[in-house]
Amino acid sequence: QVQLVESGGGLVQPGGSLRLSCAASGSIASSNVMGWYRQAPGKQRDLVAVVSSGGSTNYADSVKGRFTISRDNAKNTVYLQMKSLKLEDTAVYYCYAKMLFRSYWGQGTQVTVSS
């Protein structure tokens, strides 16, 4: 079993920055994908960014150039640095991990962009 614990959400003004962190614990496979999805009220959960244990990344078009995903394999932790935040980035951000053909989710952290 794998547990994911997110931190770093909050309220920020448009144009501001936030960094999310997600620490994984439990039975962590050496080969895995970790990342972030988000869900705004009334909308489906969508990919934000993911990174493989080998360092390959994939971003949603809407965040390219503004968000950066990174990971520390020694700490089993993935980070999402968010810059130039927009009102439409407001959502609950969920940490995601996939390993050994199973998917895991964190409890979610709220990011609110508002003036």
Side-chain angles (χ1 to χ4, degrees):
Q1 193 63 283
V2 174
Q3 296 78 41
L4 303 174
V5 178
E6 303 116 330
S7 60
L11 174 65
V12 63
Q13 293 185 339
S17 299
L18 278 177
R19 190 176 85 149
L20 305 182
S21 300
C22 172
S25 62
S27 302
I28 310 298
S30 59
S31 177
N32 59 71
V33 174
M34 294 185 68
W36 298 89
Y37 281 68
R38 67 185 180 186
Q39 187 169 20
K43 296 188 176 182
Q44 66 182 20
R45 190 175 298 187
D46 290 326
L47 170 76
V48 177
V50 291
V51 57
S52 71
S53 49
S56 298
T57 59
N58 186 32
Y59 292 89
D61 288 341
S62 59
V63 307
K64 285 180 180 177
R66 300 188 298 122
F67 291 10
T68 302
I69 191 167
S70 61
R71 62 186 292 164
D72 184 335
N73 289 335
K75 296 181 178 180
N76 292 318
T77 299
V78 63
Y79 306 96
L80 185 69
Q81 178 67 53
M82 304 184 291
K83 298 181 179 179
S84 302
L85 282 160
K86 304 176 180 180
L87 296 175
E88 54 263 40
D89 293 318
T90 295
V92 177
Y93 283 69
Y94 294 92
C95 183
Y96 164 83
K98 185 171 184 178
M99 59 190 80
L100 299 176
F101 307 107
R102 293 189 61 180
S103 295
Y104 302 90
W105 296 93
Q107 79 283 0
T109 185
Q110 178 70 47
V111 172
T112 302
V113 184
S114 175
S115 55

